């Protein structure tokens, strides 16, 4: 992308479904069981990652560091129609409304669940992950 993209938020000519800083590496707090839950869900639902490159990065980080990748959810721009898609909504409902109720019981983090969601359902060209100009947290 070019510098002009950074200043034309949030729509970016309706190109992206999600924009945030990342992918970063999170702490291994609040992720108990999350990676295995996501892998099991994908297997049960017959889901192949829409973004194989991001999924590989998640896997490599999990196996080498026992933690998950993150996106910067402190400042994010999202296209709601993406998150309301039936397949995405089903996944999001599953992480809150079914055993092990990980969001509530283990405090699964939004930064970690978001990056898993993006890897599973968003094509690489539909997400923009890099630092925002003028934003510091």
């Amino acid at each position: 992308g070019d510098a002009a993209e950074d200043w034309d938020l949030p729509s970016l000519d309706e190109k992206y479904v999600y924009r945030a800083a990342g992918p970063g590496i999170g702490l291994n707090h609040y992720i108990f069981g999350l990676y295995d839950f996501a892998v099991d869900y994908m297997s049960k639902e017959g889901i192949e990652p829409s973004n194989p490159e991001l999924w590989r990065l998640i896997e490599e980080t999990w196996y080498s560091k026992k933690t998950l990748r993150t996106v910067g959810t402190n400042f994010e721009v999202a296209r709601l129609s993406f998150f309301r898609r039936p397949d995405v909504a089903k996944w999001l409902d599953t992480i809150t409304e079914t055993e092990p109720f990980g969001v509530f019981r283990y405090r699964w983090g939004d930064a970690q669940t978001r990056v898993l969601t993006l890897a599973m359902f968003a094509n690489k060209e539909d997400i923009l992950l890099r630092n925002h100009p003028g934003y510091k947290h």
Side-chain angles (χ1 to χ4, degrees):
D2 60 33
E5 282 184 309
D6 288 332
W7 300 106
D8 293 334
L9 292 176
S11 72
L12 298 172
D13 296 324
E14 300 195 17
K15 180 177 180 180
Y16 299 106
V17 298
Y18 186 82
R19 185 208 167 125
I25 296 179
L27 302 173
N28 61 358
H29 304 306
Y30 312 121
I31 61 169
F32 178 78
L34 177 55
Y35 177 77
D36 292 334
F37 184 84
V39 169
D40 185 56
Y41 180 84
M42 291 171 65
S43 176
K44 286 179 183 173
E45 295 293 321
I47 296 171
E48 291 291 325
S50 293
N51 189 332
E53 184 179 325
L54 182 56
W55 187 258
R56 255 189 320 279
L57 189 59
I58 291 166
E59 285 181 319
E60 290 167 3
T61 304
W62 178 252
Y63 289 116
S64 67
K65 301 180 186 313
K66 290 297 180 204
T67 194
L68 291 173
R69 288 290 177 154
T70 62
V71 291
T73 57
N74 295 314
F75 182 71
E76 60 186 344
V77 179
R79 189 167 310 283
L80 290 179
S81 59
F82 168 75
F83 289 94
R84 290 178 177 159
R85 277 182 17 197
D87 55 343
V88 178
K90 183 177 179 182
W91 156 248
L92 296 174
D93 284 344
T94 300
I95 63 175
T96 60
E97 306 303 318
T98 65
E99 285 287 346
F101 306 103
V103 169
F104 303 112
R105 189 171 285 151
Y106 305 118
R107 294 183 61 194
W108 287 347
D110 60 331
Q112 292 88 351
T113 57
R114 191 90 75 248
V115 79
L116 290 168
T117 302
L118 294 171
M120 284 188 229
F121 301 105
N123 297 319
K124 179 180 179 177
E125 60 273 5
D126 294 334
I127 58 176
L128 181 60
L129 297 176
R130 66 176 185 219
N131 291 331
H132 297 288
Y135 177 79
K136 184 172 179 151
H137 183 75

